[in-house]
Amino acid sequence: MSKQQQRGKQETASEDRSTEWVGERVNSYDGSRFVSGHGRYVDDIQRPDMLHAYFVRSQFSHAKVLDVDTSEAEAQPGVELVWTHDDIADQVNEPFGYMLNDEEVLASDRVTYAGQEIAVVVADDRDTAQDAADLVDVEYERLDTVTTVEEALEDDAPLVHPDLDADPENDTDGNVAWTGQVEVGNYEDPLADADVVVEETFDTNKTTPAPMEPHGCIADYNPATGKVELVSSTQMPHLLSVELSEVLTEFEQRDITCKLPDVGGGFGIKLDPYPFEICSVLLSKATQRPVKHVLDRLEEFTAGRGRAPETLEGKIGVTEDGDIVGLDVDLLQNTGAAAAYGVAVAYSSANCGQGPYLIPNQHWRTKVVYTNEMPTTAVRGFGDPQVTFMREQLIEMAAEEIGMDAVELRLQNSPRQEDMPMRSDAGHIWRNADQITCLEKTREMINWDEHRGGSKTRDGKLRGVGMGTIMKRGGNKSASGGDFDEAVVKMNRHGDVTVLTAIASIGQGTETGINQMVADTLGVPIDRVDAVRGDTDATPEGLGVWADRGTIIGGSAAARAAEELADTLKAVAGHMLEVDPDDLRLEGGRAFVADDPETGMELDELANVAMLGNPETLGTEAERPEELRGGISLVGRGKYQSQEVEFVDPETGRGNVAHSYTFGALAIVVDVDPGTGEIDVVDVAICEDVGNVINPTLVEGQVQGAIIQGLGEALYEEYVYDRNGNLMNGSMIDYHLPTAADVPLVTKIEELENPDPTTSHGQKGVGECPLVPTPAALANAVYDATGIRFTELPLAPHYVLPALDEAGLREI
Amino acid sequence: MLIPVAPQWETDVQGLKYANPETVEEACTLLRDHGEDAAILSGGQSLLPMLRQRVGSYDKVIDINGLPDLEYVRETDGEIRIGCLSRHVDVASSSVVEEHCPILADVAAEIGDVQVRNRGTFCGAVAHADPSGDPPVVATLLDATIVARNADEKRTLSGSSFYHGFYETDLSKDELVTEVRFPVLSAGEGAGFEKYEPTEGAYPVATVGAYLSLADDGRIENATLVTGALEAGPTPMDDAAEVLEDREPTDDVLTEAAEQLGEDTMPVDDFEGSAAFKTNISKKLAKDALQTALDRAENER
C-alpha cells in the first residue's frame, strides 16, 4: 500500500497517558470471531418454544384494503395467530414515525407502497408461516399511483396520505411532507455579486445499502414482569427502546430491554423503529412465547428502506477572479410513502450543502415529498452524497466557464486552518482542519495535471479526471435531541477491563478503537480489554452509531470513564508506593513513577489490592487518603455531551448541526469505453483530515468500503419502478452491486491528523465521509473524458452509451 | 439395454423428494416415471435459486452427481466431448479446449462467479436453456451435438435447432443430457464470444457468438452469428452472417455485419436498458466477436 501517514500529530491527551495502542494497527475486536464463523447474528439465535413471524405485504403501491380474509391461513396446522390491523390497533399509537407520524404498523384501510405490511402470520416455523401468509386473501381496490416528485406536486395528484393532508394539526400539504430553507447572507438574491452564473438540474438515484445481514429481531416477553427483551439487528439499541415505547401503548422505556446481537451491517437503514419489531413485541406478548422475524432478501428490497433520491436545481455564482459568491438551490426529495429520517436528510444536507467552502450568500429551498414507493431513510452520507453530486459538478462547470482550473477554484474558496476555529456561513463551527493540504495532496496523488483535459488511451478508451470534496457532519443534534453518550469502564481483581457502551457494533469496528483508547488510558495491554455493547439493561445511555458519531462521542465518553478509573488506580498505587499519585504513569500493565520507572507495581496486583481493599495491604481507613476510604470502586464512569452542537434554526436553516466536521477531497480517473458505455475506474485518490487516527487499518477499511459503496451507487445501482409503483429489479440478481472485480483496490489513501481539540484523543468522524464525494468525482471525471455532463445517477452503460451516441462519440 | 429399477426417494429436503441414483440407468428410470415433476440437479446453479425463491413446478429432485464416468473433457474423432458432470472450470482450464476450440474456454471462464464455475456444469447450462445463458449460444453457433438418453434409448440432437424460446428445447422430460460434443475447429476456422454484463457475474444483457471460416484466398467462406440474452434465447442472425460470406474480412466488412446484426436483433426495453441501447451494444459485441473469430481463423484456428 502506498499509504502515507502524517505522524507529526499534536497531543491533545494528558501528557502522562500511554500511546501504546492508539494509532496502532490493532486487529478488529470481533475479527477473529467473524472470520472463523463464530459470529452470532439474529438468525443464529434459537430460543426454546420460539415462534416465527411472516408478513403479508401489499401487492400494490396504492390501494384501498377492502377486506383481509385470514381464515384459511389460521386453519393451517402449526399456525398460532394471524393478525391484521384491527388486532393491534388498541396497542399502538398511530400514526407513528421517527420524525413525522406517517406510518401504520399494519395497514388499516389503505396501502401506500408495494411491500407494506398488511397482516402477520405467526407459526411454529418460518416455512409454515410463509406458506400460510400466501393463503391470506387481501381484497384491494386500486388507487392512482404517484411515483415521481413531479407527479406528486401536480395540483390534481393522488394523495399518498389524504388523512394527514386533511388534518389541520399536521403540516402535510398535499404530498409535501415537510418544507424547509437555509438562508445565508443576501439570500433573497444570492447571485447578485456574480459575474458568471452556472445552473443545472441534477437527479440522484434511489438505492439500498444492502447489508449482508437483513433486518431481524427476536422478541421475548415475560408475562410475570411485563417486560420484553428485544434482540434486534439495530444501530441504536437504547434509542430503539425509547422509540418503541412511544409507539407501544402498554410499554414504557423501562419495559423494553434491547440487546444487540452481532449485526451484519447497518449503513443507516437499521435506525428506524420498524413495523416488524413492533409486531414481534406484541406477538410475543400475546403468545407468551419468543417470536422471531428476519426479513428475506426480497423483503429487504421492497421494505428494507434506502437512500432518498433527490432532484437538485442548482445555481452557483462566481466572480471572474474565481470567488464563489452565491448558491441557490431547490431541493426536492422523493421520500417515498413515509418520511422516516427523510426530513433530517433534507435539512442537514441543505445546512451542510455548501460543503468545505466559504459561500457568503445562499438560499436553499427544500421539500420532502411523499410518493407511492418504499420509504427512504438514513443511508451512509445522509444527504451529503446527493447535494455533493450537484455542488461539485457546478463548481467544475463554473471553473470551466471562467477558464480556471477546478482545483485552483476550490483552493481559492476553501477555509484556512489558521482562521479556525471559525463559524462557516451556514453556522458550522469548524475547528483545526487543513482542507488546503487535502486538496493539494489529492491533486498530487491522482496526477491531476497529467490527466486533466481528457485523453484517449492506447486501447481507444476516453480518459479523464474529476474531483469531489467532503465536509461531513459528525453527529446531528436536531435528529436526536442532543448529542451525548455515557460509558462505564470497570476492572476486575485480575486487572481485566470491560467497557460498557451504548455504541453498537455493526461491523465497522468502533469498539476496537474505543478499546484502544481505554487501553492507553489505563496502560493495559489491548487483549485485556473487552467490550459490552448495546444492552439497555447493562450499558449506560447513549445514542448508537450513525453520522460518524461513535468514535467521537462514544469514544470520548469511554476515555473519560477510563480516566476516572485511572485516577483511582493511581491513588491506590500512590498510597502503596508512598509517592504522589500525580507523579505516576500507567503503561505496559504497570503503575510507576514517571521519572523513576523502577518504582512501581504491576496493575494486576494493584487491581487485586484495590478490589479486596483489606487493611492488611492498604492500612486502616484512617491511614489512607480520603478517596480510598469507604470502599475502592474499580468502576469508572464517563459522559460526553457536546456543548458545541446546536439545533438548526427553523427559520434560517443555519446552525452548528453537528459536533465536528471532517474535511477532505477525493479524485477519480476513469476510462470510458466508447463501444459499450462502460466506465472503468482506473485510479482513486483521497486525502482527508480525520484528526488523530485511532486505528489505521480500520480507517483504511472504512475508506475503501465507503468509496466502493459510492462507486456502486454511482455506476450501477438504482431502484427501477414501473408506472404502477412496482419495483422491477428487487433482487440480488437484478439489482447490481459492485463486485471486487468491478472496482479498484483503493490504495492512495492519505490521512491528515490535525486533532480536534474537543475530543478525547483528537479524533474526528471517518466512516461515512469517503462515500460523499464519490458520485460527484466520478461524474466530473466522465465529463473530463467525454465532454458530456451526466446529471443523473447512476452512470450505468445503458445511460452512458446513448449519450455517447448522441454526442457522436460511440464507436464499435 | 437399460435395466429398470424402482425409484428410491431417500430424503425429504424442504418438502422436496430427493433421489441420488448411482447409475445412468437408474437416473433415466426415475425420469421415465417422474420426469414431469422432477428436476435434475447437477451443479444447481440455476435450480437452487429457483427452489429458494419457490418458483418452478418441481416436487422431486434427481441428483446426478453420483453417476460414474461422466466428468471428462476430451477430444475423440474430431470432436470435443464434454461429460455432463464436467464443471465450467473444467472446460475453462482444459488444454484440449484451448487447443481445439478456445471459444468454449472464453465462455466457460466468464460464467457467473468462481463458485458458480466450480460447481455449475456446462452440459447443464446447455440443457437448462436459460435465455441469458452463454453455453446455449455457443452450442447453437457451432452446431454442437447434444447426446440425450432416456430409459429406452440414446439419441443425438443438433445444437443449431435445439432451442425454441424461454427454457424450451428439443429435450423430453424423460431425457438426461449425458454429453455435449463440439467440433474441433481446424485451420482457417475461428470463433469468438463477447458479452455485456452490468457487473461481474451478473446475468448478461447481451451476448454475441461469431464463427468464421476462411477460404484459401483469405475470403470468408462461411460465417455464423448468434445472439443471446437479447431475445428468448440463442438467436441466429443469418442476414448479418450473409453480409460476410465471400467477402474480404476487412474492418469495414466486419463493421457492416455488426451493424446489420444490431439492426436485426429485437430486444425489449427493461430495467437493464432500452431496446436502442441493447441494439447498440450488440453491434459492439458483434464486432469484437468477429474480430476474435477472424484473428483465430487467420492464426489457423
Side-chain angles (χ1 to χ4, degrees):
Chain A
M1 295 200 107
S2 66
K3 170 159 166 49
Q4 306 162 29
Q5 289 264 332
Q6 295 252 320
R7 269 288 159 213
K9 60 186 180 188
Q10 294 166 241
E11 284 297 334
T12 54
S14 53
E15 282 177 16
D16 65 343
R17 188 158 64 199
S18 162
T19 55
E20 199 175 351
W21 301 108
V22 169
E24 295 305 311
R25 293 180 176 275
V26 171
N27 279 342
S28 162
Y29 177 66
D30 293 317
S32 61
R33 236 167 19 89
F34 290 166
V35 300
S36 63
H38 291 91
R40 199 166 157 78
Y41 301 89
V42 167
D43 216 16
D44 297 320
I45 299 170
Q46 306 299 331
R47 298 225 165 154
D49 214 22
M50 187 166 70
L51 292 165
H52 298 259
Y54 200 87
F55 284 86
V56 178
R57 294 180 181 275
S58 175
Q59 301 294 308
F60 299 109
S61 63
H62 200 191
K64 284 184 184 170
V65 177
L66 301 179
D67 184 51
V68 184
D69 181 355
T70 59
S71 54
E72 200 180 342
E74 283 168 323
Q76 297 301 304
V79 170
E80 190 75 16
L81 273 180
V82 184
W83 272 2
T84 64
H85 185 264
D86 287 348
D87 297 298
I88 58 165
D90 63 346
Q91 301 179 74
V92 291
N93 290 314
E94 285 181 327
F96 76 100
Y98 184 69
M99 300 196 75
L100 299 178
N101 291 326
D102 55 10
E103 297 182 49
E104 287 182 323
V105 180
L106 296 171
S108 54
D109 54 359
R110 279 170 67 255
V111 285
T112 54
Y113 73 98
Q116 185 178 350
E117 299 82 356
I118 293 175
V120 61
V121 177
V122 188
D124 290 336
D125 62 77
R126 187 187 169 91
D127 281 347
T128 303
Q130 186 172 357
D131 288 341
D134 288 343
L135 299 173
V136 173
D137 189 17
V138 182
E139 191 183 339
Y140 301 93
E141 179 187 319
R142 300 276 301 275
L143 297 168
D144 288 341
T145 288
V146 286
T147 58
T148 67
V149 285
E150 293 77 20
E151 286 171 1
L153 293 175
E154 285 170 8
D155 287 341
D156 56 349
L159 294 181
V160 178
H161 293 292
D163 41 344
L164 301 181
D165 176 54
D167 181 355
E169 304 283 296
N170 193 292
D171 290 338
T172 302
D173 179 13
N175 283 318
V176 178
W178 185 83
T179 303
Q181 62 287 319
V182 176
E183 297 170 351
V184 177
N186 179 12
Y187 68 91
E188 287 173 329
D189 191 4
L191 307 171
D193 300 334
D195 296 322
V196 172
V197 173
V198 171
E199 61 178 286
E200 187 56 83
T201 300
F202 299 86
D203 284 293
T204 65
N205 45 345
K206 181 168 187 162
T207 58
T208 170
M212 288 286 276
E213 186 210 17
H215 294 84
C217 73
I218 298 170
D220 197 347
Y221 176 81
N222 189 314
T225 61
K227 296 181 185 225
V228 66
E229 184 183 296
L230 185 70
V231 177
S232 191
S233 182
T234 181
Q235 297 173 232
M236 44 162 227
H238 289 256
L239 270 185
L240 185 59
S241 64
V242 175
E243 292 296 319
L244 290 177
S245 69
E246 288 176 10
V247 184
L248 295 162
T249 54
E250 291 166 31
F251 290 83
E252 302 298 328
Q253 183 188 351
R254 65 174 178 274
D255 299 323
I256 305 167
T257 300
C258 286
K259 292 195 177 192
L260 271 185
D262 286 330
V263 177
F267 305 104
I269 64 171
K270 291 181 180 172
L271 288 170
D272 314 9
Y274 277 79
F276 78 90
E277 291 167 321
I278 298 162
C279 281
S280 296
V281 170
L282 293 176
L283 288 164
S284 179
K285 179 165 186 269
T287 58
Q288 302 195 3
R289 291 167 68 179
V291 173
K292 178 191 276 189
H293 179 68
V294 177
L295 274 68
D296 64 29
R297 188 55 68 180
L298 298 179
E299 291 180 291
E300 277 293 316
F301 272 104
T302 52
R305 307 191 178 181
R307 188 186 300 285
E310 292 182 349
T311 299
L312 296 135
E313 230 178 293
K315 298 189 184 81
I316 195 168
V318 295
T319 65
E320 283 172 0
D321 300 333
D323 286 337
I324 301 174
V325 295
L327 195 55
D328 185 86
V329 183
D330 281 294
L331 186 160
L332 297 175
Q333 179 192 93
N334 180 343
T335 206
Y341 274 82
V343 173
V345 169
Y347 77 68
S348 67
S349 55
N351 170 281
C352 294
Q354 63 173 43
Y357 301 106
L358 306 169
I359 305 181
N361 309 296
Q362 300 176 42
H363 197 184
W364 296 72
R365 295 163 297 275
T366 306
K367 281 184 178 153
V368 172
V369 182
Y370 288 126
T371 61
N372 294 117
E373 295 182 352
M374 177 182 80
T376 60
T377 191
V379 175
R380 196 179 201 172
F382 204 79
D384 281 20
Q386 291 96 314
V387 294
T388 303
F389 184 68
M390 174 201 70
R391 186 193 64 241
E392 294 296 311
Q393 291 205 74
L394 287 176
I395 282 174
E396 294 211 354
M397 291 163 74
E400 185 180 18
E401 200 67 27
I402 60 171
M404 190 170 178
D405 176 77
V407 181
E408 290 298 329
L409 179 65
R410 290 182 171 102
L411 285 165
Q412 184 170 321
N413 291 280
S414 295
R416 265 54 184 172
Q417 186 178 12
E418 57 267 27
D419 296 334
M420 296 180 186
M422 64 188 285
R423 278 270 184 183
S424 81
D425 297 295
H428 317 104
I429 299 172
W430 286 342
R431 289 183 299 268
N432 199 24
D434 184 3
Q435 176 68 355
I436 300 301
T437 302
C438 288
L439 287 162
E440 289 174 343
K441 285 277 180 192
T442 301
R443 173 169 66 182
E444 180 190 321
M445 285 190 288
I446 204 75
N447 297 318
W448 177 270
D449 294 336
E450 183 189 317
H451 295 302
R452 189 64 171 176
S455 60
K456 200 158 193 171
T457 64
R458 254 177 289 174
D459 59 351
K461 307 277 177 64
L462 306 171
R463 177 166 289 185
V465 65
M467 187 178 275
T469 60
I470 300 162
M471 192 283 291
K472 176 70 184 69
R473 281 174 298 104
N476 190 340
K477 177 169 166 175
S478 292
S480 54
D483 209 348
F484 63 88
D485 250 69
E486 298 186 305
V488 166
V489 174
K490 66 193 185 90
M491 185 176 268
N492 66 17
R493 68 171 69 182
H494 293 111
D496 305 305
V497 178
T498 303
V499 183
L500 290 87
T501 174
I503 292 299
S505 295
I506 54 174
Q508 82 284 39
T510 304
E511 72 297 322
T512 306
I514 290 175
N515 287 358
Q516 288 173 264
M517 293 189 271
V518 167
D520 271 355
T521 306
L522 296 172
V524 299
I526 189 73
D527 60 6
R528 300 289 291 274
V529 184
D530 281 298
V532 173
R533 296 152 277 180
D535 177 340
T536 58
D537 273 354
T539 52
E541 291 293 297
L543 301 178
V545 286
W546 41 270
D548 284 347
R549 64 181 300 284
T551 309
I552 305 171
I553 308 292
S556 293
R560 283 188 177 171
E563 275 166 26
E564 188 178 280
L565 175 56
D567 286 345
T568 303
L569 293 172
K570 285 180 184 175
V572 176
H575 177 62
M576 297 285 290
L577 298 167
E578 296 180 347
V579 298
D580 184 344
D582 290 343
D583 295 337
L584 288 169
R585 185 176 171 86
L586 303 176
E587 189 171 346
R590 289 180 77 235
F592 55 88
V593 177
D595 297 335
D596 175 20
E598 297 298 310
T599 304
M601 62 189 295
E602 298 295 317
L603 271 178
D604 49 2
E605 184 196 345
L606 182 58
N608 192 49
V609 166
M611 185 59 70
L612 299 182
N614 288 325
E616 289 81 356
T617 48
L618 287 164
T620 65
E621 292 218 327
E623 293 167 337
R624 303 179 203 172
E626 185 152 354
E627 64 267 31
L628 300 185
R629 297 173 193 162
I632 301 164
S633 170
L634 294 189
V635 175
R637 297 169 304 160
K639 182 160 191 170
Y640 192 87
Q641 287 166 311
S642 171
Q643 298 303 302
E644 291 83 352
V645 67
E646 299 167 348
F647 291 110
V648 170
D649 183 276
E651 297 305 318
T652 66
R654 295 197 301 267
N656 187 41
V657 64
H659 180 73
S660 70
Y661 303 87
T662 298
F663 287 69
L666 174 145
I668 289 176
V669 176
V670 295
D671 283 355
V672 182
D673 187 328
T676 63
E678 288 172 296
I679 296 169
D680 191 11
V681 176
V682 295
D683 203 7
V684 180
I686 183 168
C687 179
E688 298 174 287
D689 190 336
V690 297
N692 288 341
V693 172
I694 308 303
N695 186 321
T697 303
L698 292 174
V699 168
E700 285 163 15
Q702 287 296 304
V703 170
Q704 290 171 327
I707 291 171
I708 299 317
Q709 188 175 348
L711 288 175
E713 292 188 73
L715 288 169
Y716 310 116
E717 299 176 37
E718 60 175 334
Y719 269 51
V720 182
Y721 288 94
D722 69 9
R723 297 279 308 163
N724 294 320
N726 298 309
L727 182 59
M728 305 308 293
N729 59 340
S731 76
M732 283 294 194
I733 290 174
D734 296 325
Y735 181 92
H736 302 303
L737 292 164
T739 73
D742 295 305
V743 289
L745 176 61
V746 178
T747 57
K748 292 182 177 173
I749 300 169
E750 179 139 343
E751 310 297 355
L752 306 185
E753 297 190 88
N754 292 295
D756 184 335
T758 68
T759 57
S760 66
H761 288 70
Q763 68 270 34
K764 301 174 184 171
V766 176
E768 299 189 31
C769 307
L771 190 151
V772 169
T774 300
L778 184 95
N780 279 333
V782 172
Y783 176 81
D784 191 46
T786 64
I788 302 170
R789 180 60 65 187
F790 286 90
T791 60
E792 297 180 22
L793 288 170
L795 277 68
H798 59 279
Y799 301 120
V800 173
L801 189 61
L804 292 171
D805 196 27
E806 198 175 316
L809 293 170
R810 186 174 68 83
E811 295 173 0
I812 69 167
Chain B
M1 194 63 201
L2 299 175
I3 305 159
V5 294
Q8 294 174 9
W9 302 110
E10 292 181 1
T11 333
D12 190 324
V13 182
Q14 290 195 353
L16 291 162
K17 301 287 185 193
Y18 171 89
N20 52 345
E22 291 177 2
T23 66
V24 171
E25 291 74 17
E26 282 178 30
C28 289
T29 303
L30 290 167
L31 280 170
R32 180 193 66 198
D33 297 341
H34 304 280
E36 286 296 322
D37 49 8
I40 296 170
L41 171 66
S42 51
Q45 72 185 101
S46 302
L47 178 63
L48 290 180
M50 291 169 84
L51 294 175
R52 285 182 64 100
Q53 290 180 30
R54 300 178 167 216
V55 294
S57 54
Y58 317 109
D59 62 11
K60 300 183 182 73
V61 169
I62 300 170
D63 181 351
I64 62 168
N65 284 283
L67 303 185
D69 305 325
L70 289 170
E71 194 170 352
Y72 54 83
V73 181
R74 60 181 173 236
E75 192 246 310
T76 309
D77 301 334
E79 290 179 313
I80 293 167
R81 299 186 172 194
I82 302 173
C84 70
L85 288 177
S86 289
R87 315 291 160 172
H88 298 303
V89 65
D90 300 327
V91 176
S93 59
S94 159
S95 57
V96 170
V97 164
E98 179 62 31
E99 188 181 349
H100 297 297
C101 196
I103 185 178
L104 297 179
D106 298 347
V107 168
E110 295 289 329
I111 293 171
D113 52 32
V114 171
Q115 291 89 337
V116 165
R117 293 194 289 272
N118 282 344
R119 197 67 199 151
T121 62
F122 202 86
C123 294
V126 167
H128 182 57
D130 188 305
S132 303
D134 298 339
V137 173
V138 75
T140 304
L141 179 76
L142 298 179
D143 192 17
T145 299
I146 294 149
V147 181
R149 290 182 66 164
N150 67 14
D152 301 318
E153 61 176 5
K154 177 165 100 176
R155 63 173 180 146
T156 58
L157 301 160
S158 162
S160 62
S161 59
F162 184 68
Y163 294 101
H164 306 284
F166 292 101
Y167 303 99
E168 292 292 327
T169 70
D170 281 341
L171 284 177
S172 302
K173 291 200 168 181
D174 65 347
E175 284 181 306
L176 172 70
V177 172
T178 55
E179 182 180 275
V180 178
R181 303 172 185 165
F182 287 90
V184 166
L185 300 189
S186 36
E189 290 183 291
F193 179 83
E194 294 290 334
K195 69 174 166 184
Y196 163 66
E197 48 187 5
T199 50
E200 191 76 16
Y203 279 91
V205 172
T207 61
V208 178
Y211 164 85
L212 291 177
S213 70
L214 302 179
D216 291 344
D217 63 359
R219 298 165 84 85
I220 299 169
E221 196 164 35
N222 293 302
T224 311
L225 284 161
V226 178
T227 66
L230 289 158
E231 300 179 46
T235 309
M237 305 302 284
D238 293 341
D239 290 349
E242 212 165 283
V243 167
L244 297 159
E245 280 170 20
D246 209 28
R247 306 272 299 273
E248 291 280 342
T250 63
D251 191 64
D252 285 347
V253 168
L254 300 191
T255 300
E256 189 185 330
E259 295 279 358
Q260 184 68 46
L261 179 143
E263 297 311 315
D264 292 347
T265 187
M266 292 192 289
V268 295
D269 295 332
D270 64 14
F271 61 86
E272 301 285 19
S274 66
F277 161 72
K278 294 177 187 177
T279 294
N280 277 338
I281 208 160
S282 71
K283 293 176 183 175
K284 168 69 174 167
L285 300 176
K287 177 72 186 294
D288 289 352
L290 280 167
Q291 189 63 54
T292 302
L294 178 63
D295 291 347
R296 285 174 173 164
E298 289 180 337
N299 289 306
E300 300 191 357
R301 191 155 292 110

